[in-house]
Amino acid sequence: MKFDVLSLFPEMFEPIKTSIIGRAEKKKAIEINLINIRDFSKDKHKKVDDTPYGGGAGMVLRPDVVYDAYNSILDKENAKVIFLSPQGTRLTHKKVVELSKAKHLILLCGHYEGIDQRVLDKIVDEEISIGDYVLTGGELPAMVLIDSVSRFVGGVLGNGSNEEESFADGLLEYPQYTRPDEFLGRQVPEILITGDHAKINKWRRKESLRNTFLKRPDLLNNVNLSKEDRDTLENLKNECQ
Ligand code: 4FM
């Protein structure tokens, strides 16, 4: 999977170039190309923005500079262009999995008061938001998208575990434990050291249901629950009263 990132601050992506995502790149599971929008300024001072028509505070990214940066991507014909903005539709687990099936994504990161609407209308296929708060630019949201989407691209995680994780079945994760078996006077739940995997799986399912019920009860409305799950939840509810 290839990501082309159009940004005024490509240095901000340095941290994801190391870490797990960086390893995935070395393995050629993903590729992240950074394109500095400023390289496409025709101005002698490398200016990329200007004051808004109609007046008002701040600066607006010029459409011609953004369009030239976009056109420098040669194999863009089958790519999906995503603009990261608070006005977009929310990035959810479902959307992350959907995007992970694409071969080529182009991520457009804005700054200042915005980007001239005419170039957005021309090149953007989808506007995506990572949450209802306003950041100073689209770089952090683009990194959130790359990180979350890459987990579902074959060969990125290496252990084939992503299907089992939170949200795959709509429930939150069960708690995890490792050595030492006693920490600050607290023992690891006994069932986990029995080696009885049928019992361990049952316990983990119950703890997933407990976490979801206590922390994110809203999620339970969109989960397929077995008869056993529903009984477990009834018991958890009674324990709370
Ligand atoms: C600032 C986007 C300027 C575009 C921003 C421009 C955001 C979010 C966000 C800031 N993006 N989810 N929340 N972006 O705040 O995605 Cl032009």
Side-chain angles (χ1 to χ4, degrees):
M1 164 136 190
K2 179 152 89 172
F3 297 96
D4 281 307
V5 182
L6 298 164
S7 165
L8 283 170
F9 299 96
E11 330 79 64
M12 279 183 74
F13 291 82
E14 217 52 53
I16 65 162
K17 287 269 182 187
T18 55
S19 81
I20 295 175
I21 300 304
R23 271 214 299 280
E25 259 203 298
K26 282 203 190 73
K27 287 200 288 179
K28 308 259 185 234
I30 59 165
E31 181 186 340
I32 304 169
N33 272 321
L34 303 174
I35 299 144
N36 190 342
I37 294 171
R38 196 171 299 281
D39 291 346
F40 297 87
S41 167
K42 288 164 223 119
D43 184 80
K44 63 170 186 267
H45 300 108
K46 292 273 164 209
K47 210 167 119 79
V48 293
D49 55 356
D50 212 325
T51 53
Y53 276 119
M59 301 293 269
V60 177
L61 261 173
R62 288 171 55 109
D64 52 346
V65 180
V66 173
Y67 194 53
D68 288 350
Y70 164 77
N71 278 323
S72 76
I73 303 167
L74 298 176
D75 59 341
K76 59 189 171 295
E77 250 39 76
N78 297 308
K80 173 175 269 188
V81 179
I82 297 171
F83 176 46
L84 287 308
S85 128
Q87 296 182 26
T89 55
R90 192 65 77 75
L91 186 67
T92 58
H93 169 72
K94 183 163 169 262
K95 178 55 88 178
V96 164
V97 172
E98 180 198 310
L99 291 175
S100 72
K101 293 173 175 128
K103 282 210 178 78
H104 188 184
L105 297 178
I106 299 174
L107 307 181
L108 174 58
C109 306
H111 257 272
Y112 313 116
E113 296 312 305
I115 302 180
D116 187 289
Q117 189 61 39
R118 292 166 295 179
V119 73
L120 295 178
D121 293 343
K122 180 78 185 167
I123 70 172
V124 173
D125 296 305
E126 215 172 317
E127 197 168 359
I128 291 180
S129 165
I130 64 161
D132 288 342
Y133 35 80
V134 181
L135 303 165
T136 58
E139 283 77 11
L140 289 169
M143 282 186 261
V144 167
L145 189 150
I146 291 169
D147 191 287
S148 57
V149 168
S150 295
R151 293 179 64 251
F152 292 91
V153 174
V156 170
L157 289 185
N159 59 5
S161 74
N162 53 25
E163 269 309 289
E164 238 185 278
E165 270 189 64
S166 237
F167 290 108
D169 63 4
L171 293 178
L172 300 183
E173 281 296 272
Y174 48 80
Q176 297 278 16
Y177 298 88
T178 186
R179 276 172 283 279
D181 61 357
E182 192 201 300
F183 173 68
L184 302 180
R186 284 186 60 194
Q187 208 71 30
V188 164
E190 214 175 276
I191 193 125
L192 298 178
I193 42 185
T194 60
D196 184 338
H197 281 281
K199 273 196 178 154
I200 290 171
N201 287 340
K202 269 194 169 181
W203 180 86
R204 286 179 165 171
R205 182 75 182 176
K206 181 176 181 187
E207 295 308 308
S208 275
L209 288 163
R210 186 201 305 279
N211 270 342
T212 312
F213 173 65
L214 290 176
K215 298 176 178 176
R216 291 293 308 278
D218 57 300
L219 294 178
L220 291 170
N221 299 320
N222 306 302
V223 180
N224 280 321
L225 297 172
S226 67
K227 173 77 175 72
E228 204 178 343
D229 289 337
R230 280 178 274 130
D231 289 345
T232 303
L233 277 170
E234 263 325 297
N235 290 336
L236 288 170
K237 276 177 204 167
N238 293 332
E239 280 174 34
C240 286
Q241 282 167 7

